[in-house]
Amino acid sequence: MAFSCLCSTKFLAFLFLISAISIGIIISLERAQPITHVYCYHGAGWFRESCKWDDHNRRFLLSFFEGGVGQISVPEDHSPETILQEVPLVKDADLARNSSLGIVIDRPRNRLLVVYADIIGNKYAALAAYDLSTWKRLFLSQLSGPRDEKALADDVAVDAEGNAYVTDAKASKIWKVGVDGKFLYIIRSPLFTPNKWYKALVALNGIVYHPDGFLIVIHSFSGNLFKIDVAKEEVKLIKVAGGPLSFGDGLELLSPTKLVVAGNYPTGRLVESSDGWGTASLMKKFSGPTHRLSTAATIKDGKVYLNHLVGMGYPKKKHVIVEANF
């Protein structure tokens, strides 16, 4: 009886109607005139998780969900109507089954740090470093393997000495890796674990290093923001007026007192602190193309740009990097 009901003409018509409505909404959103500047580019893959602006070489650097790193060169006379082209730079055969997720430019050492993760099985996590000029891999530091607890390495920040900090979105911890790629230790805290189980489904995510010597980290599903003294390994909750910052993803400092939070609903938020990030306030929100999922933020020429995960179209996938006018 139940099977025949599911296969009935009315039920199939209902499914078709729902699908048509969903597709119609997406088409409508795609055709909507953007309210801010947008960089559009064609890529080979459907998903691009992280994006950082390399001002020395006038290019966006991208992490590929299918593994690897690419670039989008932006000419000085770029016209908004011109669709840019993605160019692959790195594709390591020994990491082929893993996704590239968070990236950060380590300018003093002319290198790019890239997080690799097994996003399906959560059985592998690593951090790699590449020379920004030659794209030679400088090191590969494995952080987790099949015999360890399940982990999902997600994002990375680098301090003034070149040490890297990698968030674990599965097991709520932070790996510290030395400037030479040597694993150093793990930062854990009871504050990283929310009281409600469903708020722990996606844990620590975006991370940035503040020039005053501490980390700022966001917990995605709880929306909590943390300040971490790296010298003391001391973790404190940043109380955010107007928060929590639920579904927060990538972070980027616009200034020492202003923090950009990428994510969805809305796609971008601007948080400000006047007391050294003991407390903060949600100051502004930006709503971009929510159906494309905002995952990372970067600063180009003093303006905030949000990377979006999902590409649209076939066979060429069109991706967007959207200016957030805070």
Side-chain angles (χ1 to χ4, degrees):
M1 178 71 72
F3 181 77
S4 62
C5 178
L6 288 174
C7 294
S8 69
T9 302
K10 288 184 178 179
F11 182 76
L12 293 175
F14 174 75
L15 287 181
F16 176 80
L17 179 61
I18 293 298
S19 300
I21 291 173
S22 300
I23 293 171
I25 291 172
I26 291 174
I27 292 174
S28 176
L29 291 170
E30 281 294 292
R31 289 179 175 177
Q33 186 68 26
I35 59 174
T36 60
H37 180 251
V38 177
Y39 287 103
C40 297
Y41 68 94
H42 282 143
W46 293 107
F47 305 113
R48 297 292 177 258
E49 204 274 344
S50 190
C51 171
K52 296 298 177 184
W53 174 247
D54 176 10
D55 58 337
H56 286 204
N57 298 288
R58 288 201 57 82
R59 61 187 176 181
F60 288 105
L61 297 174
L62 310 162
S63 63
F64 297 171
F65 236 55
E66 65 270 26
V69 174
Q71 72 175 18
I72 308 163
S73 296
V74 181
E76 292 275 4
D77 58 350
H78 171 66
S79 168
E81 292 76 26
T82 303
I83 298 180
L84 300 168
Q85 300 297 320
E86 169 189 284
V87 177
L89 296 170
V90 170
K91 184 70 173 179
D92 291 341
D94 57 338
L95 294 167
R97 296 184 179 180
N98 297 286
S99 297
S100 302
L101 299 180
I103 60 175
V104 66
I105 296 173
D106 182 9
R107 180 63 62 199
R109 281 153 283 275
N110 192 48
R111 62 185 188 175
L112 182 74
L113 301 179
V114 183
V115 172
Y116 286 93
D118 168 18
I119 62 172
I120 302 298
N122 304 147
K123 295 181 179 180
Y124 182 83
L127 178 70
Y130 299 92
D131 184 276
L132 281 169
S133 301
T134 65
W135 292 103
K136 176 184 177 182
R137 192 167 78 186
L138 304 175
F139 68 73
L140 176 66
S141 177
Q142 183 172 335
L143 305 174
S144 179
R147 297 183 180 180
D148 302 316
E149 67 177 344
K150 287 195 172 185
L152 178 56
D154 190 276
D155 206 355
V156 57
V158 61
D159 67 19
E161 287 72 42
N163 301 303
Y165 303 85
V166 180
T167 55
D168 183 351
K170 179 71 176 178
S172 288
K173 63 180 183 288
I174 299 171
W175 293 279
K176 183 174 181 178
V177 178
V179 64
D180 58 354
K182 182 181 179 180
F183 167 73
L184 297 178
Y185 57 79
I186 291 174
I187 300 173
R188 297 182 188 267
S189 172
L191 292 177
F192 293 158
T193 304
N195 294 328
K196 298 177 180 178
W197 66 268
Y198 57 86
K199 290 190 175 182
L201 292 176
V202 181
L204 299 184
N205 200 325
I207 184 169
V208 291
Y209 179 76
H210 193 280
D212 288 343
F214 55 86
L215 299 168
I216 301 176
V217 185
I218 193 163
H219 188 288
S220 275
F221 270 30
S222 72
N224 288 333
L225 201 62
F226 300 103
K227 176 181 178 179
I228 303 173
D229 185 321
V230 293
K232 300 178 181 177
E233 297 180 48
E234 183 180 67
V235 180
K236 292 183 178 180
L237 176 68
I238 301 172
K239 295 183 179 179
V240 181
L245 305 171
S246 302
F247 305 108
D249 200 326
L251 304 180
E252 188 71 76
L253 284 169
L254 182 57
S255 75
T257 62
K258 295 180 180 180
L259 178 74
V260 179
V261 182
N264 253 31
Y265 313 112
T267 56
R269 284 165 278 193
L270 183 66
V271 181
E272 189 168 0
S273 175
S274 59
D275 62 359
W277 295 98
T279 62
S281 298
L282 176 59
M283 304 302 293
K284 295 180 180 179
K285 299 179 181 180
F286 173 79
S287 293
T290 55
H291 64 295
R292 284 181 175 265
L293 303 178
S294 167
T295 53
T298 190
I299 309 299
K300 178 185 180 296
D301 303 328
K303 297 179 180 179
V304 177
Y305 283 86
L306 301 175
N307 175 72
H308 289 71
L309 177 68
V310 182
M312 300 283 180
Y314 185 83
K316 293 183 178 180
K317 293 83 175 174
K318 188 175 77 171
H319 293 263
V320 295
I321 303 170
V322 180
E323 179 189 352
N325 58 347
F326 292 120

